[in-house]
């Protein structure tokens, strides 16, 4: 665990406190999910029916675009703690999806478990590379009050996208596709 924290600290160039805060957040979300599961154990509703429809694809694509937008917007803020907000949101989603994966496995529903695993992998890879992209963009353009900040930000973002686009696109596509399969199909 210590080596993972050290690797993440070096990769994202953040203090160890940030990584420990995010790990504590995951534990807190897991405890809340388990408490909710324990208090409502007999009324757990795990998705058993799923399908791919045009409205569900539109909704999932819209959700995926919002994911891209929020990381891009937070990369504009030249402060390392700003990225904690979208990362915490995605870690909460991943923790909840992990618990749903365990429930699907306990119920013996292999198809739902495989799709839930695809969702976790897609969101995890997309969120990791989006956070990395946003943090590298923050580091590439030191903040200075002048008119060229947005142009430098855009150039830094373009360079970082060109370095990580394959993993980012693959994770994003897997996230959107698996979300579309689980989604009821409402656009908003």
């Amino acid at each position: 665990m210590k080596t993972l924290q050290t690797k993440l600290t070096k990769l994202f160039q953040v203090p160890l406190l940030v990584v420990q805060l995010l790990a504590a957040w995951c534990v807190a979300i897991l405890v809340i999910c388990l408490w909710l599961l324990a208090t409502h154990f007999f009324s757990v509703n795990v998705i058993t029916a799923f399908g791919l429809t045009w409205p569900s694809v539109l909704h999932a694509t819209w959700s995926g675009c919002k994911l891209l937008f929020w990381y891009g917007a937070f990369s504009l803020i030249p402060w390392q703690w700003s990225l904690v907000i979208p990362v915490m949101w995605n870690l909460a989603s991943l923790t909840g999806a992990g618990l749903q994966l365990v429930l699907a496995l306990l119920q013996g529903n292999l198809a739902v478990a495989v799709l839930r695993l695809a969702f976790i992998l897609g969101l995890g890879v997309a969120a990791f590379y989006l956070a990395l992209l946003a943090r590298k963009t923050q580091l590439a353009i030191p903040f200075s009050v002048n008119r060229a900040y947005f142009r430098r930000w855009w150039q830094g973002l373009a360079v970082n996208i060109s370095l990580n686009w394959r993993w980012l696109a693959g994770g994003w596509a897997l996230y959107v596709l698996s979300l579309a399969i689980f989604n009821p199909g409402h656009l908003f």
Side-chain angles (χ1 to χ4, degrees), residues 4 94 122 133 143 187:
L4 179 63
L94 286 169
L133 181 98
F143 183 72
L187 189 53

Side-chain angles (χ1 to χ4, degrees), residues 3-25:
T3 18
L4 179 63
Q5 289 178 348
T6 307
K7 286 181 182 180
L8 289 174
T9 300
K10 288 179 184 175
L11 183 65
F12 286 95
Q13 296 180 14
V14 294
L16 185 60
L17 178 65
V18 174
V19 176
Q20 290 173 339
L21 172 75
L22 293 173
W25 173 254

Side-chain angles (χ1 to χ4, degrees), residues 15-16 26 30-31 36 64 67 71-72 94 110 114 135 137 160 180:
L16 185 60
C26 286
L30 183 62
V31 167
L36 289 171
L67 182 73
Y71 275 99
L94 286 169
L110 190 59
V114 167
R135 183 65 183 139
T137 302
N160 286 315

Side-chain angles (χ1 to χ4, degrees), residues 60-91:
T61 304
W62 174 247
S63 294
C65 288
K66 288 189 294 186
L67 182 73
L68 295 174
F69 170 78
W70 283 115
Y71 275 99
F74 279 99
S75 74
L76 270 168
I77 304 169
W79 184 48
Q80 67 189 5
W81 285 93
S82 65
L83 288 175
V84 169
I85 296 168
V87 169
M88 287 176 79
W89 178 73
N90 287 317
L91 286 176

Side-chain angles (χ1 to χ4, degrees), residues 20-43:
Q20 290 173 339
L21 172 75
L22 293 173
W25 173 254
C26 286
V27 170
I29 292 296
L30 183 62
V31 167
I32 290 170
C33 287
L34 289 173
W35 176 74
L36 289 171
L37 181 65
T39 58
H40 298 92
F41 187 74
F42 295 105
S43 63

